[in-house]
Amino acid sequence: WGRSGMHFYQNYLALGIMEVDNSSYLGNGVLTPVWRDGLFNPDLSWEKTDQYDFGLDLDLLDYRLGITLDYYYRYTSDMLYPVPIPGDYNGYLQQWRNTAAISNEGLEILVKYEIFRRSDVYWKISVNAAKNWNKFRKSYDGRDLAYSTEVGQNVIGKPLNGIMGYLTEGFYQNQDEVTLVDNADGSVGYLHAGGPANFFRPGDYKIVDVNGDGQIGLADFVHLGSALPVVSGGIVNEVQWKGFDLNMLWSYQIGRHILNPTIIKAMNPYNDYQTLVFDLPGTDFWQQPGDNTEFFANRVGGQGEQWQTAIDRYVQKVNWIKLKTLSVGYTIPKTLTRQWGIDELRLFASGENLWTITNYKGIDPETVDLRTGIDSGVSYPLARKITLGLTLKF
């Protein structure tokens, strides 16, 4: 167990944040408090982290079987956050305070076993798995900080690496299904996004109005899944037989969520900076009442909110396993190489990213950012590499 503190990431944060003013006084430069969040807080202190670690190492059967187990729990409290100030306090809008808290914990296990351990045949297999998760535990007012640019999209009790977006319930099949709402000017209109004129029509996604305010916006975002995998790890095989050697590494991830909006971004007529090769003939759009298709009605000038990419329909729970590296080599017997004046001669062939098995509908799940879980569609898949070579020792 241990406790550590983290100093302020910004200089003089405890004394109130200052900035250089463009004006001058008697020919000297001027420092003024930052109007947004520079209000002095005499109670500000360091962030605190308590961490617990438990470990177990076992070697059994004359060191033939090895097991390593590690667990850690880390709780960070008094995290710094700019808290909004009600009204306008002498021009300040926020004040830095010790308010937030998060937790991180993880479980990692490694099992290795020597199947054959003879002079002519050796085979060892190693399997490791890791589960790491975190949660947002506390905010300054006990509410979610789902739309903060400073801290990110944080929902109390949910992972920090959460994917936020809209919930949908199929399509609007006719105009009578669209909810009637009271507009700000006293008129009655349909449920809308961004203004009464942008109301929903048949063929649009039926986006859930979570807070019931009569319009669709960021306040209706919900947690759609964690970008962190449930389990990740690898499987390693090491084989030696006479002069031959083989090393094989499989990598895998199970149960991570990925937001894949690449196709909808490529089809968006308002998006002129991204193109993507995909199976357009296999893509179906809503055309008439009763359709239950993959995408909404594709019409020019339709509901702009339909082009939103943060929608539950584009979030997929992804599993993958990949033959990450494979190396095969042969070492020529020393009885021959020493006659040639060579101490060791090994020929080998190796490859990387040779084979992937996945349920992901995008290009390569391994290239998707673990922090956000969003496939931006701008990354190439990991390249397949083949290497031939030899190793000489004199």
Side-chain angles (χ1 to χ4, degrees):
W1 168 84
R3 171 175 289 179
S4 60
M6 188 180 77
H7 60 76
F8 303 137
Y9 75 94
Q10 192 164 351
N11 294 333
Y12 312 112
L13 187 63
L15 303 178
I17 301 177
M18 309 292 287
E19 64 180 355
V20 178
D21 197 307
N22 292 327
S23 61
S24 62
Y25 178 75
L26 299 178
N28 299 312
V30 177
L31 292 177
T32 59
V34 176
W35 67 271
R36 188 167 181 261
D37 52 14
L39 182 61
F40 168 67
N41 181 1
D43 299 323
L44 212 59
S45 66
W46 286 11
E47 297 179 349
K48 302 178 182 67
T49 298
D50 288 81
Q51 180 165 329
Y52 305 84
D53 288 277
F54 303 91
L56 178 66
D57 284 299
L58 292 175
D59 284 298
L60 307 170
L61 305 177
D62 191 22
Y63 296 95
R64 195 164 189 169
L65 172 65
I67 300 174
T68 302
L69 181 66
D70 288 292
Y71 170 79
Y72 70 87
Y73 180 84
R74 185 185 302 121
Y75 187 85
T76 302
S77 59
D78 293 331
M79 294 184 65
L80 297 169
Y81 184 79
V83 176
I85 300 175
D88 184 353
Y89 185 82
N90 290 338
Y92 294 108
L93 302 180
Q94 300 175 139
Q95 183 185 47
W96 283 93
R97 300 176 186 174
N98 298 98
T99 58
I102 61 173
S103 65
N104 287 273
E105 56 187 314
L107 179 65
E108 301 177 3
I109 184 171
L110 169 65
V111 179
K112 51 187 178 181
Y113 182 67
E114 294 178 342
I115 300 175
F116 296 111
R117 192 168 61 178
R118 302 200 304 260
S119 59
D120 58 336
V121 179
Y122 179 83
W123 180 12
K124 182 174 76 173
I125 183 170
S126 304
V127 180
N128 76 291
K131 177 177 175 60
N132 300 277
W133 62 100
N134 55 44
K135 286 185 179 180
F136 184 61
R137 296 289 186 176
K138 179 184 175 183
S139 68
Y140 69 92
D141 61 355
R143 299 181 180 181
D144 300 337
L145 302 177
Y147 317 108
S148 166
T149 57
E150 287 87 357
V151 176
Q153 298 178 336
N154 294 327
V155 178
I156 293 179
K158 295 292 185 179
L160 297 177
N161 304 73
I163 298 174
M164 306 294 293
Y166 294 116
L167 288 175
T168 59
E169 296 178 338
F171 298 89
Y172 288 110
Q173 300 294 345
N174 55 69
Q175 198 65 43
D176 292 337
E177 292 184 359
V178 183
T179 304
L180 291 174
V181 296
D182 295 325
N183 297 321
D185 59 3
S187 64
V188 177
Y190 292 109
L191 180 69
H192 58 81
N198 295 323
F199 60 87
F200 291 93
R201 300 171 174 82
D204 290 339
Y205 289 145
K206 189 182 292 184
I207 299 178
V208 179
D209 182 14
V210 174
N211 66 350
D213 64 353
Q215 58 181 326
I216 301 300
L218 291 179
D220 298 304
F221 268 25
V222 298
H223 187 272
L224 300 177
S226 173
L228 296 176
V230 175
V231 179
S232 62
I235 304 170
V236 179
N237 281 276
E238 300 174 59
V239 180
Q240 295 177 5
W241 176 66
K242 296 184 179 180
F244 292 95
D245 62 88
L246 179 144
N247 190 292
M248 178 188 299
L249 168 62
W250 293 85
S251 297
Y252 66 88
Q253 286 184 354
I254 299 174
R256 70 166 302 197
H257 290 82
I258 293 179
L259 174 61
N260 179 21
T262 51
I263 292 181
I264 199 68
K265 289 172 70 174
M267 293 188 301
N268 190 345
Y270 310 107
N271 181 357
D272 58 358
Y273 62 86
Q274 177 169 339
T275 58
L276 179 71
V277 177
F278 63 95
D279 185 16
L280 184 59
T283 303
D284 54 345
F285 298 88
W286 189 96
Q287 298 184 41
Q288 58 187 359
D291 284 352
N292 184 19
T293 55
E294 185 177 3
F295 294 104
F296 53 88
N298 187 14
R299 53 172 176 261
V300 177
Q303 172 53 260
E305 200 68 15
Q306 300 304 302
W307 297 108
Q308 287 287 339
T309 57
I311 291 180
D312 58 355
R313 297 173 68 95
Y314 308 141
V315 177
Q316 184 182 357
K317 193 170 185 178
V318 176
N319 310 308
W320 60 265
I321 184 169
K322 178 177 292 190
L323 181 52
K324 194 64 179 173
T325 61
L326 175 64
S327 176
V328 179
Y330 176 70
T331 301
I332 298 176
K334 291 187 177 181
T335 55
L336 294 176
T337 58
R338 286 175 177 171
Q339 296 178 17
W340 308 333
I342 299 174
D343 186 59
E344 181 179 324
L345 174 58
R346 177 176 175 266
L347 308 174
F348 69 90
S350 65
E352 299 180 27
N353 303 309
L354 297 176
W355 190 31
T356 302
I357 302 173
T358 182
N359 66 333
Y360 184 49
K361 296 180 180 179
I363 297 177
D364 188 348
E366 193 176 3
T367 63
V368 179
D369 195 329
L370 273 176
R371 297 168 300 175
T372 65
I374 300 175
D375 188 346
S376 60
V378 298
S379 299
Y380 284 100
L382 296 180
R384 181 181 292 115
K385 300 178 182 179
I386 304 295
T387 303
L388 302 176
L390 58 86
T391 302
L392 287 171
K393 291 184 180 180
F394 295 94

